[in-house]
């Protein structure tokens, strides 16, 4: 296939993704539950607030969960489904084993709160509850709030094998990250903005030990930061040990993530390369410079991500239990 044919094929694929996203966006609307559960947003917000007061881990865990859900078979809460004797579900794929239990618990508690209202019982999808809970958790940590489009149905399946190739490992370079996000209708700017989800949350040591071990640390890593990471994650460290992804403002959802990249303090290799690569550095600098620009870019990207692979009609249903297929 010639270069021209490759470009045409890529353009056609991009148009297909855009067309699909447009159809999904048309099926979603803010007032989707107005006639059956008009107070769903306040019910979910109250449940998330209670969970947030119990543990700040709620924020990063819920954000992480939403990302991993949408990038695998779309935003359909399939990541919530528990494995059975006959099926290994998404959540038990190696790439999802790091998802904190508090994210799952946030959705379960919000679902219980919604279903406690008789008119709302089994009328609101787990997928929509996860989307709302993510927005609310971000706002509680000081991040931008935004309108959540509703009307997603829950997926009818959840398999570990469906995760393969859908989530970005820390080893991805800029071209690989850009291509993965483009396959989901998201631009490189969206990808960079969404990477700020790492401004809250934690990472297990094994996700970045390659950057701090060996003859010399990764040269893109701030030496003082590398020394701290070596102390926090010594050789043969307990694999359950985690490190905050933003060492400066770990409990605030803000644009400090991008300032950290400017200072060589991106925890994962796939974080730091956003600044190291001259093609993405201008966007990092712009988002580091302006909280307003960051909030706008992040909110817009989250709305777009919430449209990925939306299930409607016979493609899905409303789960009675988020962890069990109907």
């Amino acid at each position: 296939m010639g270069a021209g044919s490759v470009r045409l094929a890529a353009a056609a694929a991009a148009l297909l993704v855009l067309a699909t996203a447009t159809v999904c966006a048309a099926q979603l609307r803010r007032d989707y539950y107005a006639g059956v559960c008009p107070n769903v947003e306040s019910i979910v917000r109250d449940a998330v607030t209670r969970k947030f007061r119990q543990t700040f881990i709620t924020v990063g865990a819920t954000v992480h969960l939403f990302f991993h859900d949408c990038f695998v078979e779309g935003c359909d809460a399939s990541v919530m489904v528990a494995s059975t004797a006959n099926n290994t579900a998404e959540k038990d794929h190696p790439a999802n084993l790091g998802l904190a239990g508090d994210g799952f618990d946030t959705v379960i508690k919000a679902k219980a709160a919604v279903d406690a209202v008789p008119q709302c019982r089994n009328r609101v999808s787990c997928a929509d509850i996860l989307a709302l809970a993510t927005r609310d958790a971000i706002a509680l940590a000081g991040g931008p709030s935004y309108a959540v489009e509703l009307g997603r149905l829950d997926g009818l399946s959840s398999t570990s094998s469906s995760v393969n190739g859908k989530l970005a490992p820390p080893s991805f370079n800029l071209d690989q990250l850009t291509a993965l996000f483009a396959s989901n209708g998201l631009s490189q700017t969206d990808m960079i903005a969404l990477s700020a989800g790492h401004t809250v949350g934690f990472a297990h040591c094994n996700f970045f030990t390659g950057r701090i071990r060996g003859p010399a640390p990764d040269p893109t890593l701030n030496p003082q930061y590398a020394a701290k990471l070596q102390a926090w994650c010594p050789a043969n460290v307990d694999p359950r040990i985690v490190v905050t992804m933003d060492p400066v403002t770990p409990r605030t959802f803000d644009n400090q993530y991008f300032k950290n990249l400017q200072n060589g303090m991106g925890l994962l290799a796939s974080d730091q390369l956003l600044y190291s690569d001259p093609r993405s550095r201008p966007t990092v600098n712009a988002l580091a410079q302006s909280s307003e620009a960051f909030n706008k870019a992040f909110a817009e990207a989250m709305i777009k991500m919430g449209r990925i692979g939306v299930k409607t009609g016979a493609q899905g249903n409303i789960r009675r239990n988020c962890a069990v297929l109907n």
Side-chain angles (χ1 to χ4, degrees):
M1 184 182 288
S5 298
V6 171
R7 284 194 293 271
L8 284 172
L15 284 171
L16 178 61
V17 169
L18 179 61
T20 303
T22 302
V23 171
C24 290
Q27 294 167 335
L28 297 175
R29 62 181 193 272
R30 288 195 64 189
D31 64 349
Y32 184 83
Y33 295 106
V36 295
C37 188
N39 297 322
V40 62
E41 293 206 34
S42 61
I43 296 169
V44 171
R45 186 179 300 113
D46 288 347
V48 175
T49 300
R50 288 193 292 272
K51 178 67 181 176
F52 174 80
R53 288 172 178 164
Q54 292 173 1
T55 173
F56 182 81
I57 294 173
T58 298
V59 182
T62 307
V63 172
H64 204 184
L65 187 65
F66 186 55
F67 274 63
H68 280 229
D69 183 46
C70 290
F71 270 66
V72 180
E73 305 299 325
C75 307
D76 64 353
S78 53
V79 74
M80 294 289 301
V81 176
S83 295
T84 65
N86 300 317
N87 177 62
T88 303
E90 284 180 32
K91 69 181 293 186
D92 288 319
H93 185 280
N96 283 332
L97 294 179
L99 293 172
D102 286 294
F104 295 92
D105 192 52
T106 298
V107 178
I108 291 168
K109 282 184 165 57
K111 164 75 168 168
V114 170
D115 284 351
V117 179
Q119 75 178 105
C120 299
R121 186 170 300 132
N122 298 325
R123 304 298 294 272
V124 181
S125 69
C126 300
D128 278 343
I129 290 173
L130 174 54
L132 288 168
T134 300
R135 186 269 311 272
D136 296 337
I138 289 168
L140 284 166
S145 188
Y146 50 89
V148 175
E149 300 168 331
L150 301 168
R152 304 165 189 80
L153 290 180
D154 297 324
L156 303 178
S157 67
S158 177
T159 62
S160 177
S161 60
S162 65
V163 180
N164 295 333
K166 301 290 181 63
L167 299 172
S171 59
F172 261 21
N173 61 33
L174 184 64
D175 291 328
Q176 291 170 312
L177 287 170
T178 301
L180 177 63
F181 278 71
S183 71
N184 288 294
L186 299 166
S187 68
Q188 185 179 93
T189 298
D190 294 328
M191 179 270 290
I192 296 169
L194 289 170
S195 295
H198 289 173
T199 192
V200 289
F202 306 83
H204 290 84
C205 293
N206 65 298
F207 278 93
F208 56 86
T209 47
R211 303 186 70 207
I212 62 175
R213 294 279 173 261
D218 182 336
T220 66
L221 198 56
N222 179 298
Q224 289 75 32
Y225 185 46
K228 288 181 179 179
L229 293 175
Q230 289 169 340
W232 293 334
C233 296
N236 301 316
V237 66
D238 185 327
R240 294 170 295 181
I241 295 297
V242 295
V243 172
T244 55
M245 300 191 79
D246 177 353
V248 181
T249 58
R251 298 177 69 87
T252 305
F253 200 101
D254 55 15
N255 67 336
Q256 182 63 46
Y257 167 82
F258 298 105
K259 298 175 184 178
N260 291 344
L261 301 186
Q262 292 175 321
N263 293 318
M265 296 169 62
L267 184 61
L268 306 180
S270 54
D271 289 321
Q272 192 58 49
L273 71 81
L274 299 179
Y275 183 76
S276 302
D277 194 307
R279 295 172 295 173
S280 48
R281 187 181 302 151
T283 303
V284 170
N285 288 338
L287 298 180
Q289 183 177 355
S290 169
S291 294
E292 183 178 349
F294 162 63
N295 287 340
K296 181 175 184 293
F298 184 82
E300 289 177 351
M302 286 295 288
I303 292 170
K304 287 173 67 175
M305 187 173 75
R307 298 169 180 165
I308 297 173
V310 169
K311 307 294 190 298
T312 59
Q315 299 170 327
N317 56 30
I318 293 177
R319 261 180 244 143
R320 292 181 291 275
N321 179 338
C322 293
V324 181
L325 299 173
N326 287 356

